[in-house]
Amino acid sequence: MSESASHPNENERLLLIVEDDAAFARTLKRSFERRDWRVILATSLEEARELLRTHAPTNAVVDLKLGTESGLAVVQALHQHDADMLIVVLTGFASIATAVEAIKLGASNYLVKPSNTDDIETAFSRTPGEVDVPVAARPTSIKTLEWERIHETLAETGFNISETARRLGMHRRTLARKLGKRFVP
């Protein structure tokens, strides 16, 4: 393990995102980087374990469904690696049973998609049993909200630009132009 992995700068925030939807992961990564987070990405339990060999994330965002894998296995592995890591589970398949299991395995919070960067940062700041959760101090910009809504609709339509434009009530060329401006390689 490298020196920086075993002894991270105490002011540094390193976020591990474990998400198999590459476009969503890149969007989330860019959003957190704009908020001065360092971010690393994994798409599976194996990739997450590989990254843990050389990095010491302080926080993690884990998708509950990773292809054929369960994000719960990732939560368990991350918690075993570092019990102090704050882990937020994201899911589009919310259920009480999976929420309870995620918390038992070490997640600090569980959010239903669509969740934005503000929601996730707020979830990181919550402590167990806290009844007065603070409202995020930084308001989400209109551009960020628009981009997150576009991405959410794109995902719902299987990345069909024409159908996404129809659902959003905008011209297909307008949507294509917006996507071109925010292209994430």
Side-chain angles (χ1 to χ4, degrees):
M1 187 177 280
S2 71
E3 185 68 20
S4 64
S6 59
H7 302 290
N9 176 344
E10 64 185 52
N11 295 325
E12 183 174 68
R13 301 181 305 172
L14 177 59
L15 174 64
L16 169 61
I17 297 173
V18 186
E19 169 66 65
D20 62 341
D21 177 342
F24 178 66
R26 287 189 307 260
T27 301
L28 200 55
K29 178 181 189 286
R30 289 183 70 193
S31 184
F32 272 98
E33 286 174 340
R34 282 192 298 270
R35 294 174 183 223
D36 298 321
W37 286 80
R38 277 193 39 231
V39 181
I40 53 178
L41 301 175
T43 60
S44 66
L45 174 58
E46 189 55 40
E47 283 183 28
R49 283 187 172 141
E50 191 64 34
L51 286 170
L52 291 176
R53 291 186 179 126
T54 56
H55 297 83
T58 55
N59 302 64
V61 174
V62 179
D63 188 12
L64 183 63
K65 185 154 177 50
L66 298 166
T68 59
E69 294 183 318
S70 169
L72 294 176
V74 176
V75 170
Q76 185 176 37
L78 294 176
H79 185 70
Q80 287 172 349
H81 178 77
D82 180 358
D84 293 329
M85 186 185 310
L86 296 175
I87 305 166
V88 170
V89 173
L90 294 182
T91 184
F93 308 97
S95 76
I96 292 171
T98 55
V100 169
E101 198 58 33
I103 301 302
K104 282 182 184 178
L105 291 171
S108 55
N109 225 306
Y110 183 96
L111 298 174
V112 177
K113 289 180 179 178
S115 294
N116 64 26
T117 308
D118 289 334
D119 298 333
I120 296 167
E121 276 193 324
T122 299
F124 284 145
S125 67
R126 291 182 191 152
T127 57
E130 182 179 349
V131 293
D132 294 322
V133 178
V135 175
R138 180 184 304 181
T140 302
S141 72
I142 296 295
K143 285 185 177 185
T144 299
L145 288 172
E146 177 188 44
W147 177 248
E148 289 175 354
R149 180 67 181 130
I150 288 170
H151 177 78
E152 174 187 331
T153 307
L154 271 170
E156 288 172 2
T157 63
F159 294 89
N160 180 319
I161 293 178
S162 296
E163 178 60 17
T164 299
R166 187 190 67 72
R167 288 186 186 186
L168 293 172
M170 68 174 63
H171 194 279
R172 186 186 56 75
R173 284 189 218 143
T174 302
L175 176 59
R177 193 169 43 253
K178 287 179 182 288
L179 292 172
K181 288 180 183 178
R182 294 289 300 254
F183 178 72
V184 183

